[in-house]
Amino acid sequence: MNIIQEIISAEKPKPFATINGKGVYTFYDANLVNQQALAEQKLNGREFDMGGRDFRPNGMGIRRIRADVVAMNPNTWFSNRVHKVEVLDEEGKVKETMYEVVNDYRAIKEQNTGNVYCKHLTCWVIGKHTNGGVTCKGSRTISDDEFVKDFTDELDLESAMKAALAIDRYQKKTGTNQIQLKF
């Protein structure tokens, strides 16, 4: 088996998200997808383009860039800040543990300066679902001072993906969707 057939027969990477019908991959997986597409074109004897630009007729700019694969760092995509909240019962024992999650990328990047671009941020309340998964129990608005002072922890990538799915389901259920994402 030659190298082109090995590339084609390799397992196809799976996107970690979908935007407008296009898969979003890690940089490594996006490279594999591109290699497989180029290898298939080469094996079939088709002429292929290595990423040339389609210039406007006047030559003064690019009409469109041929991008079939979207790549992004998943840690950037799912960046978050978390505050742990424990709900106590009448006896003072922990009845439920919930997490308040802020996933506003700009606010997260500005958090270490102490000055966030807006005075009020949306915070998602994430808790355990009855079937063992996670669910979004609602949202609330927090001040920028509360965000800077209290939201110092971060979810790991797997937990952040589960929280993002829960937030997406909640937005679809309540009709507050602003962006349609599929994970």
Side-chain angles (χ1 to χ4, degrees):
M1 183 184 294
N2 67 21
I3 192 161
I4 293 176
Q5 290 172 336
E6 285 181 30
I7 292 171
I8 292 172
S9 65
E11 184 179 335
K12 303 251 187 248
K14 293 186 177 27
F16 67 84
T18 305
I19 300 177
N20 297 334
K22 291 204 178 235
V24 180
Y25 298 88
T26 63
F27 291 108
Y28 179 77
D29 288 346
N31 187 33
L32 290 177
V33 170
N34 285 334
Q35 282 180 357
Q36 288 175 339
L38 289 173
E40 286 175 9
Q41 290 176 0
K42 181 80 170 173
L43 188 65
N44 295 332
R46 292 178 46 204
E47 193 174 306
F48 59 93
D49 185 9
M50 295 296 285
R53 304 296 194 263
D54 185 15
F55 289 97
R56 292 186 178 149
N58 63 6
M60 298 298 292
I62 298 171
R63 185 179 356 216
R64 72 178 185 92
I65 297 173
R66 296 180 190 123
D68 294 328
V69 179
V70 179
M72 184 173 211
N73 183 350
N75 292 320
T76 303
W77 182 279
F78 295 108
S79 61
N80 61 75
R81 291 295 181 267
V82 179
H83 177 245
K84 185 177 180 180
V85 177
E86 293 180 337
V87 179
L88 304 175
D89 61 5
E90 297 83 27
E91 299 169 4
K93 295 180 183 177
V94 178
K95 182 172 114 177
E96 183 179 11
T97 302
M98 293 188 290
Y99 296 91
E100 296 178 334
V101 178
V102 173
N103 57 5
D104 185 331
Y105 184 77
R106 182 174 174 189
I108 291 167
K109 289 300 170 193
E110 294 175 354
Q111 184 181 24
N112 62 354
T113 66
N115 294 322
V116 181
Y117 75 100
C118 63
K119 294 291 180 193
H120 303 286
L121 297 166
T122 301
C123 163
W124 302 99
V125 181
I126 306 293
K128 276 190 174 176
H129 194 273
T130 54
N131 67 3
V134 295
T135 186
C136 182
K137 298 189 179 244
S139 65
R140 70 180 193 96
T141 304
I142 59 169
S143 69
D144 60 339
D145 293 332
E146 185 180 355
F147 173 68
V148 170
K149 189 173 40 174
D150 295 339
F151 288 74
T152 55
D153 295 329
E154 186 174 358
L155 295 173
D156 65 344
L157 182 60
E158 185 178 337
S159 300
M161 290 174 100
K162 289 178 183 176
L165 277 171
I167 292 167
D168 188 51
R169 283 191 304 266
Y170 176 79
Q171 288 178 327
K172 285 180 182 174
K173 184 174 81 174
T174 60
T176 58
N177 249 358
Q178 295 174 350
I179 300 171
Q180 296 232 344
L181 301 175
K182 295 178 185 172
F183 299 96

